Amino acid sequence: MTTPAATPGPPAQPRSRGSVDDSGVFDDAKTYYADERHIHNRAGPRTRTYSQNSLIKQMERMGLKEPYRRGSHDESTIPHSRRFLVQVEPTLQSLQSQEDTDGNMQITIEDNGPKVLSLRTAASNGHNRFDIRGTYMLSNLLQELSLAKEYGRKQIILDEARLNENPVNRLSRMIKDHFWEGLTRRIDASSIEIAARDPKDWTDDPRPRIYIPRGAPEQFEYYTKLAQDKPEIRLDVQLLPEKITPEIVRDMNAKPGLLAVDMEEVVDPETGETSLRGRPFVVPGGRFNELYGWDSYMESLGLLVNDKVDLAKSMVLNFCFCIKHYGKILNATRSYYLCRSQPPFLTDMALRVYDKIKHEPGALEFLRVAILAAIKEYHSVWMAEPRLDPVTGLSRYRPEGRGIPPETEAGHFVHILEPYVQKRGMTFDEFAHAYNHGDIEEPELDDYFMHDRAVRESGHDTTYRFEGVCADLATIDLNSLLFKYETDIARTIRNVFHDKLVIPEEYCVGSLVPGQVETSAIWDRRSKRRKLAIDKYLWNEKEGMYFDYNTAKREQCTYVSATTFWALWAGVSSPKQAAAMVTKALPKLEAVGGLLSGSEESRGEIGLERPNRQWDYPYGWAPQQMLAWTGLYRYSFTEEAERLAYKWLFMITKAFVDFNGVVVEKYDVTRPIDPHRVDAEYGNQGLDFKGVAREGFGWVNASYIYGLQIVNAHMRRALGTLTPYETFVKALENNQNKALAELV
């Protein structure tokens, strides 16, 4: 029996961190700073070749210098084993006062200190000193001291290898050992007081609140008891209505809250009592506590490379819970997102997890539930009104909703609403309430907010590609994803479930009936129909790429977007179409740091009246990179995939080295020096840390880990030495020419 594969990618490459790894030099901070070396301060042999203190004192009285002492074998001939005896707090203060000249608790290339600090060597019991030089080593020292202080260390024995570590290895290690943990959440008694608080709760009485679906009575009982046992946290436990409508969601905005996600039964080993525990998931950035949609898929690509399979599996199960109880994978699990989904990636995510666990008990049932959930989502969300365009047969981002999106900051829509407020002669609050509840009608505003909600559902918020039109667009990204659903479901039913999948009652939607048997044939037909429609409405032969199609105007759009490469990821393109995209589309979208979100020409002129949007030129985002690499690899454009991955990884590594370990949400891929400086719209998550970065950013972490599987071994070594792509290529060409000359 053959197993359906997820979207193909390059084979994983074995990684080695060198023999020093065996001695714990590169352990995670919790392990490293708990080591007994920091308690007993024993770090090597005695360093004096003579031990009579009286002789030393006699020499001092006579004004003689101490005899020259040959350095120990450890210090002189094995640089990896050099260690430093460091007083944490004084060294940290000295480092900051001398090197952090702009006072932001980071040491970067923009600080103008001397960029050198002397540390005492441990092998000499602090007698000898060694200079730590350069931005990278000093910023690593700042990070290590910050971690040591966090773990309660007053004095440490610090390995030099942690300061001059290959930056590719260091960032990979930070992601695996620290960043994922910093971004992992679970919703239960351990976290509910914080997680159920909403920073976007603008009401007069913000408090922790959780909404429980009707189909999870065990959770309602669990949280109700928790609220009774801990009245001081003021937890408000609400039961959701059986049927969720836009009007109900609007009325819930007066009491916004967290939505429950999946929980598992656990047994207390001491009492033997059974309780519930939240299934863990990874959030996009450190300030979030709710489960997000397509961020989770992108994160799973890195989690699986890092062997965190259980965490990726848990996220799939949380998605299945959302589809079962809320009808869709939500933008995020807050009450005001109940009408809004996000780009659908469930089948590929589930198949990638299944490929890792298929020999484990319960793996088949896991995949069965995930495919059933995807079938339900496919029919009830994407192939139903209002998202389905019946004329083309293609789908659109078009969520339902009433009134003004409540999750934005108070003044976000003032410039849009003010003319209507003045026209009605009302106060702003009076107008907002009357409009939200249908007491007054403003069709133009209805249209504006319909498109605004669609942009948010698309995940690409915001871009001039979508402004004022998104709900009318059959996009190449969404329809590529749905083609992937159709082909994944067909292959899985055929190859894993022997071409027979029974639909239980709880997964029935639309025309599906309990006990109905699904076969691969109908899903094959659906994928073929969608490919024909994509070719007819979205493919542009002249331009050699896919464009969105406006279902209201019945015409193709002209915005050049990196989402054209999603068709390669999904396998919807023919080899001829793929070659055309590489020839014509790629040159318009490639920059020094990887793929642009869109072309500069498509974005148009910007200024005070037309500010830049974060999903437009000149910005690049991790999802666009990862899907393009995988798609190019799928169609055997290996060189292009490696080149784009190298550029993206180089940009991240360079910023990581130059700016104190920074890893952020998005990058300006046209800036070679400080690409993390992005000032469009919502700022840049991941910048706000003191001393040491704790989480990075979810899908950028994943893109780094995943991208290292794309590039070859030569490229990985070049990345570790911060070699720009052009320099790397020239070196390769010189080596090849030299080899050819030797053959003559």
Side-chain angles (χ1 to χ4, degrees):
M1 178 182 72
T2 57
T3 307
T7 299
Q13 301 172 24
R15 304 299 187 204
S16 171
R17 290 208 292 235
S19 60
V20 281
D21 195 29
D22 298 334
S23 63
V25 170
F26 297 123
D27 280 342
D28 65 277
K30 185 176 182 181
T31 305
Y32 184 80
Y33 290 112
D35 193 282
E36 63 177 8
R37 81 184 87 179
H38 305 297
I39 301 170
H40 302 297
N41 294 330
R42 296 291 296 168
R46 288 191 308 134
T47 54
R48 292 193 179 275
T49 53
Y50 52 94
S51 58
Q52 296 173 339
N53 289 334
S54 59
L55 177 60
I56 300 169
K57 291 176 181 176
Q58 184 179 346
M59 292 171 64
E60 288 175 350
R61 285 196 299 271
M62 296 171 65
L64 300 176
K65 289 185 178 181
E66 187 176 318
Y68 173 77
R69 182 186 65 82
R70 186 180 67 192
S72 71
H73 180 73
D74 280 344
E75 286 185 74
S76 62
T77 63
I78 311 178
H80 281 302
S81 67
R82 185 183 286 118
R83 293 174 172 177
F84 303 109
L85 184 62
V86 183
Q87 300 295 324
V88 174
E89 189 61 38
T91 308
L92 191 56
Q93 290 180 7
S94 176
L95 180 64
Q96 286 177 237
S97 63
Q98 177 182 299
E99 300 293 345
D100 180 21
T101 57
D102 57 10
N104 66 349
M105 283 289 287
Q106 298 175 20
I107 297 174
T108 74
I109 58 172
E110 295 176 341
D111 289 305
N112 54 17
K115 295 291 169 79
V116 58
L117 188 77
S118 184
L119 294 182
R120 297 179 182 275
T121 61
S124 68
N125 285 333
H127 179 73
N128 290 344
R129 288 180 173 272
F130 184 85
D131 287 344
I132 302 301
R133 294 180 178 274
T135 299
Y136 180 58
M137 288 188 72
L138 290 168
S139 69
N140 286 345
L141 177 60
L142 176 66
Q143 294 170 52
E144 293 297 332
L145 292 176
S146 299
L147 290 167
K149 183 178 178 181
E150 181 180 320
Y151 288 106
R153 291 282 165 246
K154 306 293 185 188
Q155 179 173 288
I156 58 172
I157 303 295
L158 180 63
D159 290 272
E160 183 186 12
R162 287 178 83 90
L163 303 183
N164 60 16
E165 184 179 3
N166 180 307
V168 174
N169 292 349
R170 183 173 178 87
L171 178 50
S172 300
R173 181 172 62 80
M174 294 293 285
I175 291 169
K176 183 176 183 180
D177 294 344
H178 294 276
F179 290 0
W180 291 133
E181 183 180 353
L183 293 172
T184 300
R185 306 283 188 271
R186 66 170 79 239
I187 306 300
D188 53 27
S190 67
S191 63
I192 193 68
E193 182 178 2
I194 295 172
R197 288 188 182 278
D198 191 347
K200 296 175 182 177
D201 184 348
W202 316 120
T203 62
D204 294 334
D205 183 27
R207 59 188 289 190
R209 181 176 292 109
I210 186 166
Y211 285 94
I212 314 294
R214 296 267 173 175
E218 71 287 350
Q219 287 204 35
F220 187 74
E221 181 183 346
Y222 172 88
Y223 285 112
T224 301
K225 184 176 185 302
L226 176 63
Q228 292 170 349
D229 293 345
K230 292 187 174 182
E232 68 276 8
I233 69 175
R234 299 180 67 235
L235 177 63
D236 183 14
V237 183
Q238 297 277 340
L239 197 60
L240 277 173
E242 193 75 48
K243 184 173 175 58
I244 298 168
T245 65
E247 289 76 18
I248 285 173
V249 175
R250 175 201 62 199
D251 294 342
M252 289 166 63
N253 291 337
K255 291 184 175 182
L258 188 69
L259 298 172
V261 289
D262 201 20
M263 302 184 82
E264 58 183 335
E265 283 193 356
V266 291
V267 178
D268 188 316
E270 295 182 3
T271 65
E273 293 182 359
T274 301
S275 185
L276 295 177
R277 182 177 64 187
R279 290 197 189 275
F281 54 90
V282 174
V283 294
R287 67 185 179 91
F288 301 105
N289 289 300
E290 57 273 7
L291 175 72
Y292 275 78
W294 70 318
D295 294 76
S296 296
Y297 168 75
M298 299 300 163
E299 290 156 354
S300 74
L301 298 178
L303 292 172
L304 292 173
V305 175
N306 281 157
D307 296 323
K308 298 183 183 294
V309 182
D310 288 344
L311 189 48
K313 177 184 176 183
S314 174
M315 291 160 76
V316 171
L317 293 173
N318 275 317
F319 277 166
C320 294
F321 180 93
C322 289
I323 291 171
K324 182 178 180 180
H325 296 287
Y326 308 128
K328 59 182 72 67
I329 293 175
L330 301 169
N331 181 158
T333 49
R334 295 281 178 184
S335 56
Y336 36 76
Y337 294 133
L338 275 165
C339 291
R340 188 191 311 163
S341 188
Q342 275 215 316
F345 285 93
L346 179 58
T347 57
D348 193 76
M349 188 176 178
L351 286 167
R352 286 177 182 272
V353 171
Y354 176 72
D355 192 54
K356 297 279 189 180
I357 67 168
K358 57 188 173 187
H359 300 301
E360 297 178 9
L364 203 60
E365 178 61 14
F366 161 83
L367 185 60
R368 188 184 74 87
V369 169
I371 294 299
L372 286 170
I375 290 173
K376 179 180 179 181
E377 180 201 23
Y378 174 87
H379 286 298
S380 63
V381 179
W382 304 113
M383 295 302 289
E385 294 286 354
R387 292 176 180 85
L388 176 67
D389 174 47
V391 176
T392 61
L394 297 172
S395 300
R396 306 165 293 194
Y397 294 114
R398 199 174 182 132
E400 295 179 301
R402 291 286 181 273
I404 305 164
E407 74 275 14
T408 54
E409 293 184 6
H412 187 80
F413 293 113
V414 167
H415 66 294
I416 298 295
L417 296 173
E418 198 61 46
Y420 297 93
V421 172
Q422 293 175 2
K423 181 180 80 172
R424 296 279 181 172
M426 308 168 83
T427 67
F428 189 90
D429 289 341
E430 287 172 346
F431 176 84
H433 183 274
Y435 173 68
N436 286 344
H437 289 80
D439 298 334
I440 56 177
E441 293 186 1
E442 292 289 353
E444 287 184 355
L445 267 187
D446 294 343
D447 195 56
Y448 174 86
F449 285 119
M450 176 182 70
H451 293 302
D452 182 84
R453 284 188 291 270
V455 171
R456 297 167 192 277
E457 182 170 73
S458 77
H460 296 75
D461 49 334
T462 61
T463 164
Y464 287 116
R465 172 188 170 210
F466 285 160
E467 195 158 291
V469 294
C470 189
D472 291 331
L473 298 183
T475 67
I476 182 56
D477 31 299
L478 176 56
N479 286 284
S480 294
L481 298 182
L482 294 176
F483 175 84
K484 184 70 162 58
Y485 261 42
E486 291 156 351
T487 52
D488 282 348
I489 292 169
R491 285 199 310 271
T492 306
I493 292 175
R494 181 166 52 247
N495 296 341
V496 179
F497 298 111
H498 311 292
D499 220 11
K500 180 182 178 182
L501 182 65
V502 178
I503 308 295
E505 184 176 0
E506 62 266 33
Y507 292 100
C508 287
V509 291
S511 61
L512 295 176
V513 296
Q516 179 174 326
V517 176
E518 289 284 282
T519 65
S520 60
I522 190 169
W523 291 95
D524 284 331
R525 288 197 294 273
R526 286 174 178 142
S527 66
K528 287 172 183 173
R529 278 200 302 267
R530 190 175 300 275
K531 175 170 170 48
L532 288 172
I534 288 173
D535 285 344
K536 179 178 179 180
Y537 295 105
L538 309 184
W539 175 250
N540 188 305
E541 184 69 31
K542 180 184 175 184
E543 298 295 331
M545 69 183 80
Y546 296 93
F547 291 103
D548 304 326
Y549 181 79
N550 191 313
T551 60
K553 294 182 178 180
R554 300 296 168 196
E555 64 183 26
Q556 203 175 75
C557 302
T558 59
Y559 191 105
V560 176
S561 168
T563 53
T564 188
F565 295 108
W566 292 32
L568 300 184
W569 176 86
V572 74
S573 302
S574 68
K576 183 181 177 183
Q577 288 170 323
M581 274 197 277
V582 169
T583 304
K584 296 181 179 180
L586 188 54
K588 295 180 179 179
L589 291 163
E590 186 172 353
V592 65
L595 271 183
L596 293 154
S597 291
S599 70
E600 185 174 13
E601 183 182 0
S602 292
R603 179 204 63 184
E605 292 294 324
I606 56 169
L608 290 176
E609 297 299 316
R610 194 174 185 268
N612 215 343
R613 302 301 192 204
Q614 63 176 2
W615 280 91
D616 288 333
Y617 178 95
Y619 307 121
W621 292 75
Q624 311 289 35
Q625 317 300 320
M626 288 190 279
L627 297 182
W629 304 337
T630 310
L632 289 165
Y633 215 100
R634 177 176 193 151
Y635 285 81
S636 299
F637 291 103
T638 308
E639 185 179 328
E640 288 78 7
E642 289 180 342
R643 181 178 74 243
L644 289 173
Y646 188 95
K647 287 183 170 185
W648 177 256
L649 296 177
F650 175 82
M651 179 188 63
I652 293 173
T653 309
K654 185 81 163 59
F656 175 81
V657 167
D658 289 345
F659 289 91
N660 206 96
V662 71
V663 177
V664 291
E665 175 188 24
K666 54 186 175 282
Y667 291 84
D668 181 339
V669 293
T670 66
R671 293 172 73 112
I673 302 300
D674 52 356
H676 63 295
R677 292 264 163 76
V678 174
D679 54 7
E681 299 182 296
Y682 305 108
N684 209 0
Q685 300 298 316
L687 284 171
D688 188 21
F689 63 89
K690 304 295 183 185
V692 59
R694 309 288 173 170
E695 304 100 3
F697 195 84
W699 58 26
V700 176
N701 300 343
S703 73
Y704 199 81
I705 298 301
Y706 188 71
L708 289 174
Q709 313 305 303
I710 300 282
V711 297
N712 59 46
H714 290 299
M715 288 177 153
R716 184 185 170 103
R717 284 195 291 271
L719 282 171
T721 59
L722 293 182
T723 305
Y725 181 74
E726 292 72 17
T727 307
F728 170 73
V729 170
K730 286 178 182 176
L732 278 185
E733 289 174 351
N734 290 338
N735 287 340
Q736 289 170 355
N737 292 336
K738 184 178 178 182
L740 287 171
E742 290 174 354
L743 292 174
V744 176

